[in-house]
Amino acid sequence: MEFGGTTVNMLELIEDIRRRAEITPRLTAVRFGDDVVTYRDLDQAIASYGTVTDRHGMSQDAAFHAGLIHCVPSLTRIDGAAERNQVMSEIVAWLGRELGGDGGRHLRAVS
């Protein structure tokens, strides 16, 4: 899946979030507006939604996005689908910055 010009394998991204949650659970994964989410909280939300999405035959991508929105509710207040999709793409690119062998994009923050 391509986000912000970067191809990200969502299963690989979810696994990386899980690994980071085990190693550095309190490290900030995403900061958007006043919302701050740690790798532990994001991993727990994805896992929780994963149970639901599995039961209904939905992908892990859906669990990731539901978990992210659960942890970063200010994402729902972005006006316009194009702008919201752009922000989500930037967050995915940030989280997957070290995946895929391209050395990352060195994105510092998502505002």
Side-chain angles (χ1 to χ4, degrees):
M1 191 168 285
E2 188 166 318
F3 290 95
T6 302
T7 300
V8 176
N9 177 312
M10 290 303 287
L11 293 178
E12 187 179 355
L13 178 62
I14 292 168
E15 194 56 43
D16 187 59
I17 292 168
R18 183 172 296 125
R19 181 182 59 78
R20 289 174 184 267
E22 291 173 3
I23 296 169
T24 54
R26 294 184 192 163
L27 185 66
T28 297
V30 175
R31 180 184 312 265
F32 182 76
D34 292 333
D35 295 327
V36 178
V37 60
T38 65
Y39 279 101
R40 175 182 43 212
D41 292 340
L42 184 56
D43 177 54
Q44 288 174 347
I46 294 168
S48 176
Y49 282 101
T51 302
V52 175
T53 57
D54 286 348
R55 188 174 3 178
H56 295 284
M58 298 169 70
S59 72
Q60 288 298 304
D61 293 22
F64 168 81
H65 285 89
L68 183 61
I69 290 170
H70 174 86
C71 291
V72 187
S74 59
L75 290 170
T76 64
R77 292 188 291 276
I78 298 172
D79 290 330
E83 185 175 336
R84 188 172 28 259
N85 289 340
Q86 178 62 36
V87 171
M88 293 292 279
S89 293
E90 290 176 15
I91 291 171
V92 171
W94 167 251
L95 289 170
R97 67 194 177 278
E98 295 178 6
L99 302 175
D102 66 352
R105 294 182 42 191
H106 305 290
L107 181 64
R108 298 286 182 219
V110 175
S111 59

